[in-house]
Amino acid sequence: MSSIKFSEDHEWVVVEGDIGKVGITNYAQEQLGDVVHVELPEVGRSLSKGDEAAVIDSVKAASEVYAPVDGEITEINESLADDFSKVNSDPQGDGWFFKIKMSDASQLDGLMDQAAYDDFIAGL
């Protein structure tokens, strides 16, 4: 079973078992404009919820991607190094950033579901 959750910082996380796959939302990529570089975290790095995990450089600005939960990076999307445009063209698919082995799945309860996130961005 998988589910998707969203942070107020516009990260999404799809959960399968104790692994969360993380990226930025379509709203975030629209705000950034064309992505020109992505700096991904190292595999094996431990992060706490809210820690800076990655950096996105776009034509408009540099932006951080934060860890939505505590855990250890288990995999990064190495295909982004060859094609940053995936972040713009498929932010919630092939444009994912990293996978994190969650150490406290209860932190997901503090994130929004799709309907709550849609309401959140409608109010921005």
Side-chain angles (χ1 to χ4, degrees):
M1 181 178 164
S2 68
S3 60
I4 186 165
K5 297 283 191 169
F6 300 89
S7 75
E8 290 185 357
D9 294 317
H10 309 288
E11 289 92 17
W12 56 264
V13 56
V14 171
V15 178
E16 293 187 24
D18 62 350
I19 302 292
K21 184 164 65 174
V22 179
I24 64 169
T25 65
N26 189 56
Y27 175 85
Q29 71 82 21
E30 286 178 351
Q31 297 301 307
L32 287 168
D34 291 337
V35 172
V36 295
H37 181 74
V38 175
E39 186 177 312
L40 297 172
E42 291 181 29
V43 172
R45 182 175 165 203
S46 292
L47 296 170
S48 296
K49 181 178 180 176
D51 283 352
E52 181 181 309
V55 178
I56 304 168
D57 290 321
S58 72
V59 293
K60 290 184 179 177
S63 183
E64 293 78 27
V65 176
Y66 301 102
V69 293
D70 293 353
E72 180 181 321
I73 302 298
T74 60
E75 185 178 344
I76 59 172
N77 187 355
E78 295 185 20
S79 72
L80 289 183
D82 298 325
D83 186 2
F84 301 122
S85 70
K86 290 179 182 178
V87 177
N88 292 114
S89 64
D90 194 11
Q92 293 181 216
D94 289 341
W96 63 277
F97 281 63
F98 58 88
K99 292 183 180 180
I100 188 167
K101 183 174 182 176
M102 298 181 297
S103 58
D104 182 2
S106 70
Q107 292 177 329
L108 294 169
D109 295 339
L111 300 174
M112 296 176 272
D113 63 15
Q114 183 74 59
Y117 181 73
D118 290 346
D119 288 346
F120 174 71
I121 60 173
L124 297 178

